[in-house]
Amino acid sequence: MAINYVRFQKDKQIDWAKFAEGKVYPLGLGDMDTRKFLEFSKTESANIGSKSYKLSEVSLLSPISSPCQIICQGANYKQHLIESGLDPDDKSYNLFFTKSDASLTSPVGEVIRPKHVKLLDYEIELGLVFGKSIDSYTEVNSQNISEYVAAIFMANDVSARDIQLPQLQWYKGKSYRTFLPAGPVLAVLEPGDFEILNSLELTLLVNDRVRQHDTISNLVFKPEETITELSSFCNILPGDVLLTGTPSGCALRAPGKMLQKIAGLLSERKKWELFVKGQSKRSQYLQPGDVIHSFIRTADRRIDLGDQFLKVVQGL
């Protein structure tokens, strides 16, 4: 069964802890990075002592530390493909992009909307943490995936759509500071846990209203084939992460096919001006004061990645 850990701060000191039955049991490791912590979790038995804290007594931090490589998959759920204006039957490729590790932030706190951004969007995702280096083509399957993926966590791939799309800058539009809330739980997996990953349910609410809900079973490109493909063009180190895509329900909606045809006749500048103007009418985009609550878990709680609570604030 997966073992849950959290990274936290208390009295200006950072530590790792085992998380069980709603309590935080410090391990006395100090501010150890994710890569070293994964090594520790393999060789040491993290026995919990008598000292513990309530969640309300500590500040939860991202269990993913920098520096690390953050690889992402785009449009990896069928319904999200459709709402992105793509035909699921025509998409035969795995879409990859990256985020800056400067975007990493705590799972409980604030998401800052930069002052020049108007179309701020949310994307709940399951994150995989690599536990083994890959520096050549590697065939990953259900039998050996546990050799390469050490842990999982929850992520929110926050995106500035008016930067990402009109400027064709996915990296910048998805990498502003606080644009990757991660955690709270780092679930270190055992081989048998991979069999139940498909049962994980992802749910994201904005102001207590469900915006996204789906299960990992609906991924278009599964982790095994994705990591196999990644190995053909990307070197991976322990502590690097893969975000596996977001379900439908984002604020972004692709214009209808007729509007897309008309836009094709316009200049690039005019086309994107109309895009931003049209998207600005959608009330689903995040506004200062909005509260995002998200969680990923199986129905029986055998795997539970905790809860994120985030408030959107306006940047200066």
Side-chain angles (χ1 to χ4, degrees):
M1 185 173 177
I3 303 176
N4 292 340
Y5 299 98
V6 295
R7 184 167 163 260
F8 72 96
Q9 182 171 342
K10 184 173 175 57
D11 300 328
K12 298 183 180 181
Q13 299 296 315
I14 296 175
D15 196 5
W16 286 87
K18 190 171 183 180
F19 181 58
E21 299 178 351
K23 291 186 177 182
V24 173
Y25 297 87
L27 297 174
L29 301 175
D31 191 10
M32 180 181 286
D33 65 30
T34 307
R35 179 179 179 179
K36 290 181 179 178
F37 178 76
L38 289 173
E39 293 175 358
F40 164 84
S41 70
K42 291 178 185 177
T43 59
E44 302 290 336
S45 58
N47 295 317
I48 58 177
S50 58
K51 186 177 181 180
S52 67
Y53 301 115
K54 298 177 182 178
L55 278 179
S56 60
E57 296 178 310
V58 302
S59 298
L60 292 170
L61 304 176
S62 165
I64 308 302
S65 61
S66 59
C68 71
Q69 182 176 203
I70 302 168
I71 307 162
C72 311
Q73 291 176 265
N76 200 28
Y77 287 81
K78 184 175 181 179
Q79 289 301 315
H80 188 214
L81 278 167
I82 294 172
E83 71 180 17
S84 299
L86 301 172
D87 184 346
D89 296 327
D90 286 344
K91 185 174 185 279
S92 58
Y93 60 90
N94 209 336
L95 174 61
F96 294 101
F97 60 94
T98 58
K99 286 175 77 91
S100 165
D101 58 8
S103 63
L104 284 165
T105 193
S106 303
V108 177
E110 298 178 340
V111 170
I112 300 172
R113 187 178 79 167
K115 61 182 179 180
H116 62 285
V117 170
K118 301 302 180 185
L119 304 180
L120 188 67
D121 210 348
Y122 48 83
E123 296 188 20
I124 185 174
E125 307 203 13
L126 176 69
L128 310 181
V129 188
F130 291 99
K132 182 178 180 179
S133 295
I134 300 177
D135 58 10
S136 61
Y137 179 76
T138 304
E139 292 191 6
V140 179
N141 53 51
S142 60
Q143 302 302 312
N144 67 1
I145 189 171
S146 61
E147 297 178 21
Y148 299 96
V149 177
I152 59 175
F153 68 101
M154 174 169 46
N156 191 334
D157 177 20
V158 179
S159 305
R161 301 299 192 190
D162 42 347
I163 305 299
Q164 173 196 354
L165 299 173
Q167 295 186 17
L168 300 179
Q169 298 211 53
W170 287 48
Y171 184 71
K172 182 167 74 170
K174 288 174 169 284
S175 292
Y176 290 102
R177 299 186 191 280
T178 75
F179 272 28
L180 183 50
V185 168
L186 182 74
V188 175
L189 302 175
E190 295 183 351
D193 294 322
F194 287 88
E195 300 172 3
I196 62 171
L197 288 193
N198 280 340
S199 299
L200 283 170
E201 299 181 12
L202 305 86
T203 305
L204 181 143
L205 304 88
V206 177
N207 300 329
D208 296 323
R209 303 187 71 170
V210 175
R211 295 284 185 87
Q212 293 183 282
H213 180 77
D214 211 330
T215 63
I216 296 299
S217 62
N218 289 323
L219 285 174
V220 176
F221 292 96
K222 308 296 185 183
E224 295 89 342
E225 60 183 313
T226 296
I227 297 170
T228 297
E229 183 178 358
L230 270 178
S231 75
S232 68
F233 64 86
C234 179
N235 288 334
I236 293 168
L237 293 173
D240 288 345
V241 301
L242 171 67
L243 306 188
T244 55
T246 196
S248 63
C250 295
L252 175 67
R253 283 294 186 280
K257 293 189 180 298
M258 181 59 71
L259 286 177
Q260 291 183 42
K261 289 181 180 180
I262 295 173
L265 303 175
L266 304 174
S267 67
E268 282 292 302
R269 181 174 181 176
K270 187 63 176 178
K271 177 179 71 174
W272 289 115
E273 283 180 357
L274 291 175
F275 168 81
V276 172
K277 183 177 180 180
Q279 292 294 307
S280 296
K281 297 177 182 178
R282 290 185 54 78
S283 61
Q284 290 87 346
Y285 282 101
L286 295 168
Q287 302 296 325
D290 285 346
V291 176
I292 310 165
H293 174 203
S294 53
F295 47 90
I296 299 177
R297 56 181 66 118
T298 57
D300 61 3
R301 303 295 181 94
R302 178 174 168 183
I303 296 181
D304 187 342
L305 301 183
D307 292 73
Q308 287 192 0
F309 292 96
L310 305 159
K311 184 175 182 180
V312 179
V313 300
Q314 183 63 53
L316 300 178

